[in-house]
Amino acid sequence: MMERTLFVDPARCIGCQACVAGCRECDSHRGKSMIHLDYIDVGHSVASLPTVCMHCEDPIAPCAQVCPADAILITADGVVQEALKERCIGCVNCVHACPFGVPKIAMEEKLQYKCNLCYDRSSRGLAPMCATVCPTGALWFGTLEELERERPGVRVADQFDFAGTVVQTGCAVVVGPSFGRSAVPGGM
């Protein structure tokens, strides 16, 4: 897990879409939201879940590994960037490689879009726009120690098990006590 990172707390998400609107307003995203808000059981529940890039550390960025154009770069501090427009060929390999289903392709542009942790902000110590505008703290930016001080007893997961393949991520998800210390089942 990155030292200062994004923590996703599904139990706090109220589905207000402030994160989506905030992401869209970020200077580097030029009117496009890089965050997806998924509604878990439409018609039966109001449960929702913000889906952001988890900035995979091990294996390192599967999306970047399969890019034939080397369009997806990874910063020295582990942030997986969105595809470079001048290099992306819209092949969709990154979409298929991501275990979390994050990258999206704008077919009209043949370009990949995904969360880059608002790198123009987070590289200067500022929180990504989604975490800045989230009214409930479902998206929270900082260190694990800061989160633990703010939310005593909190448990987080940064390892996810996809049918035996464990993925270590740079971001983390707040989990309940039933998950213990082992990897959380992927696709949660």
Side-chain angles (χ1 to χ4, degrees):
M1 174 182 351
M2 292 183 268
E3 186 176 329
R4 290 185 63 78
T5 193
L6 191 64
F7 293 89
V8 180
D9 188 343
R12 289 179 171 236
C13 183
I14 58 173
C16 69
Q17 300 221 13
C19 55
V20 174
C23 183
R24 192 179 305 120
E25 295 301 318
C26 182
D27 288 342
S28 63
H29 298 157
R30 302 165 301 276
K32 288 190 182 280
S33 179
M34 307 295 158
I35 190 169
H36 314 288
L37 190 60
D38 297 315
Y39 294 92
I40 310 302
D41 191 12
V42 176
H44 301 285
S45 170
V46 294
S48 52
L49 176 67
T51 302
V52 298
C53 177
M54 296 300 288
H55 299 276
C56 298
E57 294 180 336
D58 187 19
I60 191 161
C63 59
Q65 290 182 24
V66 299
C67 180
D70 289 330
I72 304 170
L73 304 179
I74 304 159
T75 65
D77 50 357
V79 175
V80 182
Q81 299 291 303
E82 65 183 319
L84 297 170
K85 282 186 174 183
E86 61 275 11
R87 286 184 167 233
C88 181
I89 58 175
C91 67
V92 194
N93 284 357
C94 57
V95 173
H96 297 298
C98 177
F100 298 97
V102 170
K104 302 295 181 210
I105 300 291
M107 294 310 290
E108 65 283 354
E109 301 172 87
K110 292 193 173 187
L111 288 175
Q112 175 253 43
Y113 289 96
K114 67 170 255 337
C115 162
N116 66 359
L117 265 186
C118 290
Y119 199 65
D120 58 328
R121 297 175 52 84
S122 60
S123 64
R124 295 182 292 139
L126 300 172
M129 287 297 285
C130 58
T132 301
V133 301
C134 181
T136 63
L139 293 168
W140 193 91
F141 186 77
T143 66
L144 177 59
E145 292 74 25
E146 291 169 338
L147 180 66
E148 288 172 335
R149 273 196 304 272
E150 187 171 300
R151 301 177 189 174
V154 70
R155 299 182 67 136
V156 302
D158 63 353
Q159 290 187 337
F160 301 87
D161 187 340
F162 293 91
T165 300
V166 175
V167 176
Q168 172 79 42
T169 59
C171 295
V173 173
V174 175
V175 296
S178 62
F179 284 106
R181 296 268 178 224
S182 60
V184 171
M188 172 186 135

